[in-house]
Amino acid sequence: MLASALVFAGCSASPSPSPSDGRALDAEGAQSSGTVGNVHAKVGQTWYFALPVPKNVSSKSIEITEASIIDPPKGLKVVGYAAYNVNDTDGLPLLALDGESDTPDFAHLKNFAESPVKVRPKKQSEIFFQAKIRITAPPQNNIERCRFQYRQGDQEFTQTLDCEMELKVG
């Protein structure tokens, strides 16, 4: 009896629900305008780029399950993503070059991206998401947008935020 129920469920004509467009994150935060960057980058370097700090503008808590860069340009390879507490990094390192003395030692900090990051209503998170990026060739364009996936209650959402970053090989 159970096997026939599973087969029936697998043949359902309705597709599984996809995440809805979210609006819980502040799209007008401090990182939504302007460009962070470096015009003296070199091929082979690794950079850490902080995505917009999540600020929940809704009246319900959210749990961020993923944050990523949308369409990284040719010449930039996203090596990985992580999430760190701003208190562990002595503030928000918007753009940091791997190996520099003022770059936090991310390898020895707790990565909060290993589980959903909770953000209370009307609050800014102390946790920021970060992309680790390697320059493989002179970048063709800038990074322009980031995507956050989150849950609010039992519903899944996806929201796109501006997050412009420029690395020029010079």
Side-chain angles (χ1 to χ4, degrees), residues 27-166:
E28 303 299 324
Q31 291 167 269
S32 66
S33 62
T35 304
V36 63
N38 188 296
V39 295
H40 302 290
K42 294 179 173 57
V43 172
Q45 288 180 328
T46 299
W47 291 81
Y48 298 98
F49 172 52
L51 280 55
V53 177
K55 181 178 181 186
N56 182 357
V57 295
S58 77
S59 60
K60 296 179 182 176
S61 290
I62 63 172
E63 291 185 328
I64 300 171
T65 55
E66 187 177 320
S68 59
I69 292 170
I70 298 173
D71 299 325
K74 289 182 181 180
L76 298 180
K77 179 181 179 181
V78 177
V79 179
Y81 294 99
Y84 301 102
N85 189 306
V86 294
N87 297 316
D88 294 341
T89 57
D90 294 325
L92 180 65
L94 291 174
L95 186 63
L97 177 59
D98 188 35
E100 291 291 302
S101 61
D102 57 346
T103 298
D105 187 1
F106 295 112
H108 290 94
L109 297 176
K110 179 177 179 178
N111 181 0
F112 289 87
E114 295 172 0
S115 59
V117 173
K118 296 177 184 178
V119 186
R120 293 179 37 197
K122 309 290 185 194
K123 297 288 182 189
Q124 179 167 306
S125 178
E126 289 186 353
I127 307 299
F128 68 94
F129 290 84
Q130 176 193 79
K132 183 176 181 180
I133 299 167
R134 183 166 297 119
I135 302 175
T136 60
Q140 300 297 307
N141 294 303
N142 294 349
I143 289 171
E144 296 180 349
R145 295 182 324 246
C146 299
R147 176 183 299 124
F148 287 81
Q149 294 179 328
Y150 56 90
R151 281 189 297 266
Q152 193 167 36
D154 60 354
Q155 195 167 6
E156 301 280 332
F157 294 95
T158 298
Q159 187 171 345
T160 300
L161 300 177
D162 290 338
C163 63
E164 191 156 0
M165 191 270 291
E166 172 184 51

